[in-house]
Amino acid sequence: MKSFVKKHWPLLIKIVLGFVSFRWFSDGLLIAGGDNTIYLNPSFHLKDYFYSWFDLMDAGAPNTIKPLIFPFSLFWYFLSLLNLSLVNIERFWVFLYFVLPGISMYFLMRHLYKPDSEKGKIAALLGASLYMFNYLVMVDVIQLAIRPLMAFLPCVWRLTTSTC
């Protein structure tokens, strides 16, 4: 455990920085306004997402939100089975969507620089911090389309270009 902490201390800083997202919630309220009304209870309509026609909104429309089934709606569904409140589920969701891009960018930067060098650790810390706190993230922290892409694109790029 000590060797992991010594080797990946910037990664632990990324996780601690992720707790900034908990400050965005106040008084037990959801972040759900405008186009983000899907957050009111995504697990409630999970069964409706499997059909081609979504009749619960706008007097019926073709179901274009099928991609929300995984991971978004299933995440909310399984955590709601554990009797977590919607606010706590959203806090955990936003925390993961805030931290996962930083972690994946950290590992990409560690791959690009010498893995054991101190300069590589500093570069990974700086690169992951800038990736976590960029303009696209801070404008809308609960984007449904770009956040999964940001979270996993550095890992995909690393895996496709890696010789490991």
Side-chain angles (χ1 to χ4, degrees), residues 26-80:
S26 64
D27 302 326
L29 299 175
L30 287 168
I31 300 175
D35 292 336
N36 295 319
T37 56
I38 193 79
Y39 281 95
L40 295 178
N41 193 352
S43 62
F44 182 73
H45 296 292
L46 179 63
K47 65 181 178 349
D48 299 321
Y49 296 155
F50 290 98
Y51 298 102
S52 297
W53 188 257
F54 192 63
D55 62 345
L56 299 174
M57 194 177 291
D58 300 330
N63 191 357
T64 59
I65 54 178
K66 285 184 182 244
L68 292 181
I69 294 172
F70 179 79
F72 179 71
S73 294
L74 287 177
F75 178 86
W76 283 65
Y77 177 74
F78 287 123
L79 289 182
S80 67

Side-chain angles (χ1 to χ4, degrees), residues 115-142:
D116 295 329
S117 72
E118 202 63 31
K119 288 181 182 178
K121 290 178 185 177
I122 301 299
L125 177 64
L126 182 62
S129 297
L130 291 174
Y131 196 65
M132 281 176 70
F133 291 96
N134 70 48
Y135 178 73
L136 291 173
V137 173
M138 303 320 286
V139 168
D140 187 3
V141 296
I142 53 176

